[in-house]
Amino acid sequence: MLEIKNLHASIDEKEILRGINLKVKPGEIHAIMGPNGSGKSTLASVLTGNEKFKVLEGEVFFNGKDLLELPPEDRAREGVFLSFQYPIEIPGVSMVNFMRTALNEHRKYRGEEPLSASAFLKLLREKKKLVEIDSKLTNRSVNEGFSGGEKKKNEIFQMAMLEPKLAILDETDSGLDIDALRIVANGVNKLKRADNAVIMITHYQRLLDYIVPDFVHVLYQGRIVKSAGKELALELEEKGYDWIKKELEE
Amino acid sequence: MSITKRVEEIEKQYIELYDQNIVQLADKSTLEVNSHRDKSFKNFQKLGIPSDRDEDYKYTNIQPFLRGTFEFNFVHQNIEAQLDDVFKCEVSELESYSVFIINGWYSEKNQIAGNLPDGVYFGSLAEAFKKHPKLIDKYYGRASKIERDGFTALNGMFAQDGVFIYIPKNVVLDRPLQIVNILTGDSDNVVFQRNLVVMEENSQAKILVCDHTLTPSKFVVNSVTEVFAAESVVLDHYTLQNQHNLTTQVAGVFVEQKSSSTVMTNNLTLHAGISRNNIYYKLDGEHCESYLYGLYVTDKNQHVDNFSFIDHAKPNCTSTELFKGVLDDRATGAFTGRVLVRKDSQNTNAYQSNNNILLNDLARISTRPQLEIYADDVKCSHGATVGQLDDEAMFYLRSRGISEEESRVLLMYAFAYEVIDKITVEPLKEQIRDLVEKRFRGEFDKCDFCVVCAEADSKMLNCF
């Protein structure tokens, strides 16, 4: 589904990603962990097309398409979704209008008719229930005045609406209390199918108790330096990253 | 009979015009109105036409746009015959009371649908000179600033007609009053219009002014509206400007508020050539609330200058000012927010903000707060921003599959919405919302009318 080959990327002339290689197949859940500044969020931004970052080298294929050639909106329409670490507040744009516009652009891309207002509202209600989002939140402007937890839940709600093939969760767990974390994780698990995949970027093991990964990768200084099964996360939680750094130096 | 005159030395030729036509100009007016005419003339001789050398007009030099060969009409011309379409708009009784003003003259074809409450006058100013001379003499010219502003003085000299609104004590109007200003004709025209709004104690009204052009001629419009709000009055005054690029308009609104009154003005400029709004408020009573809102969306070579002056003449009043602009191409704009808090006006609250988005490197905005505070117990704030569309927000929208163009529209609209949201007349709000959205999509047409019609057909007029 996703194949990243030797990806190098920079921001403000500073190289952050220095040769990432990663393959994700349908049905898989990958966790990417690593110390601060290792390039985790940069990877998420580059995959989704944030123009602040410059790709220097490498290729990314998504279901056979050259992802790096596509503008952000087309990557989304192809089925890539990013749950932002810091969702943006957009006063004046209502959640309903935002989601309806987004959903209909996806449909148009697939050559489908736009959803009628009533069908859209029905879907909205279903998905709200699925991810346990407060019904009042969708009556407001996008993320405006939302608490940290509400913003993260709102990201998962949007994911539920758009049904991506590949969801990239960028520190979706950071700053969440345990109840909110459970709700967010439940949402992700309910949306999981055999034909979609998840990349979770996180600092902590805790999220992985709820969303169990098939693979855990350690990102350090812009490269994936270690990949293993879910047991790696536990080891990292216990020992920190120093042992990996040491391994590398040896 | 119309006069065609080549205007090169502006002041000299306007003075000639006045001298040559004074009999005609004074013919239908009351003695008091004519004495105002005379005073205006004397002031104009001193002030002349403001240029960018005048502090108040620093960012807007209108002089070049006044030169050319123009037609002046000092007698009511019957040109409505060509405008049958105008009157096809059957403004629903449920929606509003509407009148049409053609090149500054109250149309003789106006028939107001529905019954206005007893004692309310909503009609021609020239007619009111005859019918209500006492009211006219009490108020006419008392709020406008002929000693400060050359354009206002010029209006005082030449204006003969427009709209007079009188709302008696305790009357609450059930529907908005709609004034549709139409500019038309095959030749280039100079238009003077004068409106007077008198609201007695505890009355309430909403006024909507729509400015439109129907023919591709050059127009120079000089309008003055005086508003007198007595104790406990509530008034909303909306102006929606949609004129073609060859229009130069200086529109003055002069509001005088008595105690506990609430007045809101909202200047929405969707399309214009050169537009200057002079918005003056005098808070001449305690516990007044004043709201000054404005939105300007400009592109090409358009220029919009909102100049506001709030005089806190009494204590315990609050003024709130919010102007927002989106400028594209080579459009330029200016905002001045002048607030004067007099020595004894303690406990004044004055809030001001002006926010702008420039979509292009060539677009320019000049914004200046001017606070002059002589009282010591006041709360005043001001803020101005000039920026671009937020890249982070753009990426957020696009990352959800929304195209770049659609994301821009959403963000511009979101930016403008704060001003639109202040509109309290629901059908109008919807109409404006649609027009603004169309404007941002580039689908806006200068023939889109703000008039709230029964059939909601915004294109009911034949437009060039």
Side-chain angles (χ1 to χ4, degrees), chain A residues 212-233:
Chain A
V212 181
D214 302 300
F215 303 95
V216 175
H217 310 278
V218 177
L219 193 61
Y220 180 62
Q221 292 185 341
R223 287 192 194 95
I224 290 177
V225 296
K226 203 167 186 63
S227 297
K230 65 184 175 203
E231 66 287 348
L232 178 59

PDB file of all heavy atoms in Angstrom, chain A residues 212-233:
ATOM      1  N   VAL A 212      -2.990  -1.892  19.325  1.00  0.00           N
ATOM      2  CA  VAL A 212      -1.823  -2.776  19.345  1.00  0.00           C
ATOM      3  C   VAL A 212      -1.165  -2.815  17.963  1.00  0.00           C
ATOM      4  O   VAL A 212      -1.797  -3.179  16.975  1.00  0.00           O
ATOM      5  CB  VAL A 212      -2.234  -4.194  19.778  1.00  0.00           C
ATOM      6  CG1 VAL A 212      -1.006  -5.106  19.825  1.00  0.00           C
ATOM      7  CG2 VAL A 212      -2.925  -4.132  21.139  1.00  0.00           C
ATOM      8  N   PRO A 213       0.099  -2.425  17.900  1.00  0.00           N
ATOM      9  CA  PRO A 213       0.772  -2.374  16.595  1.00  0.00           C
ATOM     10  C   PRO A 213       1.301  -3.734  16.162  1.00  0.00           C
ATOM     11  O   PRO A 213       1.586  -4.591  16.990  1.00  0.00           O
ATOM     12  CB  PRO A 213       1.940  -1.409  16.860  1.00  0.00           C
ATOM     13  CG  PRO A 213       2.251  -1.576  18.315  1.00  0.00           C
ATOM     14  CD  PRO A 213       0.967  -1.948  18.995  1.00  0.00           C
ATOM     15  N   ASP A 214       1.451  -3.877  14.841  1.00  0.00           N
ATOM     16  CA  ASP A 214       2.105  -5.068  14.321  1.00  0.00           C
ATOM     17  C   ASP A 214       3.606  -4.863  14.280  1.00  0.00           C
ATOM     18  O   ASP A 214       4.375  -5.797  14.415  1.00  0.00           O
ATOM     19  CB  ASP A 214       1.591  -5.367  12.900  1.00  0.00           C
ATOM     20  CG  ASP A 214       0.086  -5.548  12.897  1.00  0.00           C
ATOM     21  OD1 ASP A 214      -0.398  -6.446  13.589  1.00  0.00           O
ATOM     22  OD2 ASP A 214      -0.617  -4.744  12.224  1.00  0.00           O
ATOM     23  N   PHE A 215       3.977  -3.598  14.027  1.00  0.00           N
ATOM     24  CA  PHE A 215       5.411  -3.274  13.951  1.00  0.00           C
ATOM     25  C   PHE A 215       5.695  -2.011  14.733  1.00  0.00           C
ATOM     26  O   PHE A 215       4.863  -1.100  14.770  1.00  0.00           O
ATOM     27  CB  PHE A 215       5.833  -3.035  12.485  1.00  0.00           C
ATOM     28  CG  PHE A 215       5.549  -4.198  11.593  1.00  0.00           C
ATOM     29  CD1 PHE A 215       4.376  -4.243  10.847  1.00  0.00           C
ATOM     30  CD2 PHE A 215       6.449  -5.265  11.507  1.00  0.00           C
ATOM     31  CE1 PHE A 215       4.102  -5.326  10.024  1.00  0.00           C
ATOM     32  CE2 PHE A 215       6.172  -6.336  10.680  1.00  0.00           C
ATOM     33  CZ  PHE A 215       5.001  -6.375   9.941  1.00  0.00           C
ATOM     34  N   VAL A 216       6.864  -1.973  15.343  1.00  0.00           N
ATOM     35  CA  VAL A 216       7.319  -0.758  16.017  1.00  0.00           C
ATOM     36  C   VAL A 216       8.645  -0.365  15.392  1.00  0.00           C
ATOM     37  O   VAL A 216       9.540  -1.202  15.231  1.00  0.00           O
ATOM     38  CB  VAL A 216       7.489  -0.992  17.535  1.00  0.00           C
ATOM     39  CG1 VAL A 216       8.072   0.256  18.197  1.00  0.00           C
ATOM     40  CG2 VAL A 216       6.143  -1.348  18.175  1.00  0.00           C
ATOM     41  N   HIS A 217       8.723   0.928  14.996  1.00  0.00           N
ATOM     42  CA  HIS A 217       9.968   1.422  14.404  1.00  0.00           C
ATOM     43  C   HIS A 217      10.520   2.538  15.275  1.00  0.00           C
ATOM     44  O   HIS A 217       9.760   3.331  15.825  1.00  0.00           O
ATOM     45  CB  HIS A 217       9.722   1.992  13.002  1.00  0.00           C
ATOM     46  CG  HIS A 217       8.951   1.086  12.120  1.00  0.00           C
ATOM     47  ND1 HIS A 217       9.535   0.056  11.429  1.00  0.00           N
ATOM     48  CD2 HIS A 217       7.617   1.025  11.833  1.00  0.00           C
ATOM     49  CE1 HIS A 217       8.599  -0.580  10.733  1.00  0.00           C
ATOM     50  NE2 HIS A 217       7.421  -0.019  10.968  1.00  0.00           N
ATOM     51  N   VAL A 218      11.825   2.589  15.357  1.00  0.00           N
ATOM     52  CA  VAL A 218      12.446   3.696  16.087  1.00  0.00           C
ATOM     53  C   VAL A 218      13.093   4.629  15.067  1.00  0.00           C
ATOM     54  O   VAL A 218      13.897   4.199  14.228  1.00  0.00           O
ATOM     55  CB  VAL A 218      13.516   3.178  17.070  1.00  0.00           C
ATOM     56  CG1 VAL A 218      14.200   4.376  17.748  1.00  0.00           C
ATOM     57  CG2 VAL A 218      12.869   2.289  18.119  1.00  0.00           C
ATOM     58  N   LEU A 219      12.666   5.888  15.145  1.00  0.00           N
ATOM     59  CA  LEU A 219      13.217   6.896  14.262  1.00  0.00           C
ATOM     60  C   LEU A 219      14.239   7.695  15.063  1.00  0.00           C
ATOM     61  O   LEU A 219      13.948   8.160  16.168  1.00  0.00           O
ATOM     62  CB  LEU A 219      12.073   7.804  13.788  1.00  0.00           C
ATOM     63  CG  LEU A 219      12.337   8.754  12.628  1.00  0.00           C
ATOM     64  CD1 LEU A 219      12.710   7.979  11.384  1.00  0.00           C
ATOM     65  CD2 LEU A 219      11.093   9.585  12.358  1.00  0.00           C
ATOM     66  N   TYR A 220      15.440   7.824  14.521  1.00  0.00           N
ATOM     67  CA  TYR A 220      16.476   8.560  15.225  1.00  0.00           C
ATOM     68  C   TYR A 220      17.329   9.285  14.202  1.00  0.00           C
ATOM     69  O   TYR A 220      17.791   8.680  13.242  1.00  0.00           O
ATOM     70  CB  TYR A 220      17.307   7.580  16.074  1.00  0.00           C
ATOM     71  CG  TYR A 220      18.409   8.248  16.850  1.00  0.00           C
ATOM     72  CD1 TYR A 220      18.112   9.212  17.829  1.00  0.00           C
ATOM     73  CD2 TYR A 220      19.744   7.936  16.607  1.00  0.00           C
ATOM     74  CE1 TYR A 220      19.132   9.833  18.526  1.00  0.00           C
ATOM     75  CE2 TYR A 220      20.757   8.561  17.314  1.00  0.00           C
ATOM     76  CZ  TYR A 220      20.444   9.510  18.272  1.00  0.00           C
ATOM     77  OH  TYR A 220      21.442  10.137  18.963  1.00  0.00           O
ATOM     78  N   GLN A 221      17.475  10.576  14.405  1.00  0.00           N
ATOM     79  CA  GLN A 221      18.250  11.410  13.491  1.00  0.00           C
ATOM     80  C   GLN A 221      17.869  11.200  12.028  1.00  0.00           C
ATOM     81  O   GLN A 221      18.716  11.089  11.141  1.00  0.00           O
ATOM     82  CB  GLN A 221      19.741  11.155  13.706  1.00  0.00           C
ATOM     83  CG  GLN A 221      20.177  11.675  15.079  1.00  0.00           C
ATOM     84  CD  GLN A 221      21.669  11.566  15.294  1.00  0.00           C
ATOM     85  OE1 GLN A 221      22.362  10.805  14.609  1.00  0.00           O
ATOM     86  NE2 GLN A 221      22.172  12.323  16.260  1.00  0.00           N
ATOM     87  N   GLY A 222      16.551  11.134  11.819  1.00  0.00           N
ATOM     88  CA  GLY A 222      16.054  11.106  10.445  1.00  0.00           C
ATOM     89  C   GLY A 222      16.120   9.760   9.749  1.00  0.00           C
ATOM     90  O   GLY A 222      15.911   9.678   8.539  1.00  0.00           O
ATOM     91  N   ARG A 223      16.410   8.710  10.500  1.00  0.00           N
ATOM     92  CA  ARG A 223      16.431   7.380   9.889  1.00  0.00           C
ATOM     93  C   ARG A 223      15.711   6.395  10.801  1.00  0.00           C
ATOM     94  O   ARG A 223      15.693   6.584  12.010  1.00  0.00           O
ATOM     95  CB  ARG A 223      17.867   6.877   9.717  1.00  0.00           C
ATOM     96  CG  ARG A 223      18.639   7.559   8.635  1.00  0.00           C
ATOM     97  CD  ARG A 223      19.941   6.789   8.352  1.00  0.00           C
ATOM     98  NE  ARG A 223      20.815   7.619   7.551  1.00  0.00           N
ATOM     99  CZ  ARG A 223      21.789   8.402   8.059  1.00  0.00           C
ATOM    100  NH1 ARG A 223      22.009   8.398   9.359  1.00  0.00           N
ATOM    101  NH2 ARG A 223      22.518   9.158   7.269  1.00  0.00           N
ATOM    102  N   ILE A 224      15.149   5.349  10.197  1.00  0.00           N
ATOM    103  CA  ILE A 224      14.597   4.273  11.018  1.00  0.00           C
ATOM    104  C   ILE A 224      15.761   3.360  11.385  1.00  0.00           C
ATOM    105  O   ILE A 224      16.394   2.760  10.514  1.00  0.00           O
ATOM    106  CB  ILE A 224      13.494   3.503  10.271  1.00  0.00           C
ATOM    107  CG1 ILE A 224      12.263   4.423  10.148  1.00  0.00           C
ATOM    108  CG2 ILE A 224      13.121   2.229  11.019  1.00  0.00           C
ATOM    109  CD1 ILE A 224      11.115   3.855   9.385  1.00  0.00           C
ATOM    110  N   VAL A 225      16.059   3.339  12.676  1.00  0.00           N
ATOM    111  CA  VAL A 225      17.263   2.616  13.093  1.00  0.00           C
ATOM    112  C   VAL A 225      16.953   1.251  13.685  1.00  0.00           C
ATOM    113  O   VAL A 225      17.849   0.443  13.894  1.00  0.00           O
ATOM    114  CB  VAL A 225      18.096   3.442  14.097  1.00  0.00           C
ATOM    115  CG1 VAL A 225      18.614   4.709  13.418  1.00  0.00           C
ATOM    116  CG2 VAL A 225      17.275   3.802  15.327  1.00  0.00           C
ATOM    117  N   LYS A 226      15.688   1.019  13.987  1.00  0.00           N
ATOM    118  CA  LYS A 226      15.355  -0.277  14.543  1.00  0.00           C
ATOM    119  C   LYS A 226      13.895  -0.572  14.237  1.00  0.00           C
ATOM    120  O   LYS A 226      13.031   0.304  14.365  1.00  0.00           O
ATOM    121  CB  LYS A 226      15.570  -0.254  16.060  1.00  0.00           C
ATOM    122  CG  LYS A 226      15.788  -1.627  16.670  1.00  0.00           C
ATOM    123  CD  LYS A 226      16.297  -1.501  18.098  1.00  0.00           C
ATOM    124  CE  LYS A 226      16.668  -2.838  18.698  1.00  0.00           C
ATOM    125  NZ  LYS A 226      17.785  -3.530  17.997  1.00  0.00           N
ATOM    126  N   SER A 227      13.591  -1.789  13.833  1.00  0.00           N
ATOM    127  CA  SER A 227      12.211  -2.207  13.623  1.00  0.00           C
ATOM    128  C   SER A 227      12.013  -3.571  14.254  1.00  0.00           C
ATOM    129  O   SER A 227      12.887  -4.429  14.148  1.00  0.00           O
ATOM    130  CB  SER A 227      11.894  -2.305  12.121  1.00  0.00           C
ATOM    131  OG  SER A 227      12.003  -1.048  11.516  1.00  0.00           O
ATOM    132  N   ALA A 228      10.891  -3.712  14.913  1.00  0.00           N
ATOM    133  CA  ALA A 228      10.613  -5.010  15.546  1.00  0.00           C
ATOM    134  C   ALA A 228       9.111  -5.116  15.791  1.00  0.00           C
ATOM    135  O   ALA A 228       8.337  -4.271  15.326  1.00  0.00           O
ATOM    136  CB  ALA A 228      11.370  -5.118  16.857  1.00  0.00           C
ATOM    137  N   GLY A 229       8.695  -6.130  16.541  1.00  0.00           N
ATOM    138  CA  GLY A 229       7.291  -6.305  16.884  1.00  0.00           C
ATOM    139  C   GLY A 229       6.908  -5.396  18.036  1.00  0.00           C
ATOM    140  O   GLY A 229       7.695  -4.551  18.460  1.00  0.00           O
ATOM    141  N   LYS A 230       5.696  -5.608  18.577  1.00  0.00           N
ATOM    142  CA  LYS A 230       5.179  -4.703  19.600  1.00  0.00           C
ATOM    143  C   LYS A 230       6.014  -4.727  20.896  1.00  0.00           C
ATOM    144  O   LYS A 230       5.984  -3.769  21.666  1.00  0.00           O
ATOM    145  CB  LYS A 230       3.721  -5.025  19.901  1.00  0.00           C
ATOM    146  CG  LYS A 230       3.528  -6.400  20.511  1.00  0.00           C
ATOM    147  CD  LYS A 230       2.060  -6.692  20.688  1.00  0.00           C
ATOM    148  CE  LYS A 230       1.913  -8.118  21.177  1.00  0.00           C
ATOM    149  NZ  LYS A 230       0.619  -8.708  20.900  1.00  0.00           N
ATOM    150  N   GLU A 231       6.774  -5.815  21.105  1.00  0.00           N
ATOM    151  CA  GLU A 231       7.576  -5.907  22.323  1.00  0.00           C
ATOM    152  C   GLU A 231       8.639  -4.812  22.409  1.00  0.00           C
ATOM    153  O   GLU A 231       9.072  -4.424  23.479  1.00  0.00           O
ATOM    154  CB  GLU A 231       8.203  -7.303  22.458  1.00  0.00           C
ATOM    155  CG  GLU A 231       9.235  -7.692  21.410  1.00  0.00           C
ATOM    156  CD  GLU A 231       8.638  -7.991  20.026  1.00  0.00           C
ATOM    157  OE1 GLU A 231       7.403  -8.133  19.909  1.00  0.00           O
ATOM    158  OE2 GLU A 231       9.395  -8.078  19.041  1.00  0.00           O
ATOM    159  N   LEU A 232       9.007  -4.252  21.237  1.00  0.00           N
ATOM    160  CA  LEU A 232      10.021  -3.197  21.217  1.00  0.00           C
ATOM    161  C   LEU A 232       9.543  -1.957  21.984  1.00  0.00           C
ATOM    162  O   LEU A 232      10.314  -1.303  22.691  1.00  0.00           O
ATOM    163  CB  LEU A 232      10.374  -2.822  19.769  1.00  0.00           C
ATOM    164  CG  LEU A 232      11.385  -1.690  19.580  1.00  0.00           C
ATOM    165  CD1 LEU A 232      12.724  -2.000  20.255  1.00  0.00           C
ATOM    166  CD2 LEU A 232      11.621  -1.415  18.093  1.00  0.00           C
ATOM    167  N   ALA A 233       8.255  -1.686  21.875  1.00  0.00           N
ATOM    168  CA  ALA A 233       7.703  -0.519  22.562  1.00  0.00           C
ATOM    169  C   ALA A 233       7.873  -0.642  24.069  1.00  0.00           C
ATOM    170  O   ALA A 233       8.210   0.324  24.756  1.00  0.00           O
ATOM    171  CB  ALA A 233       6.233  -0.351  22.209  1.00  0.00           C
TER     172      ALA A 233
END
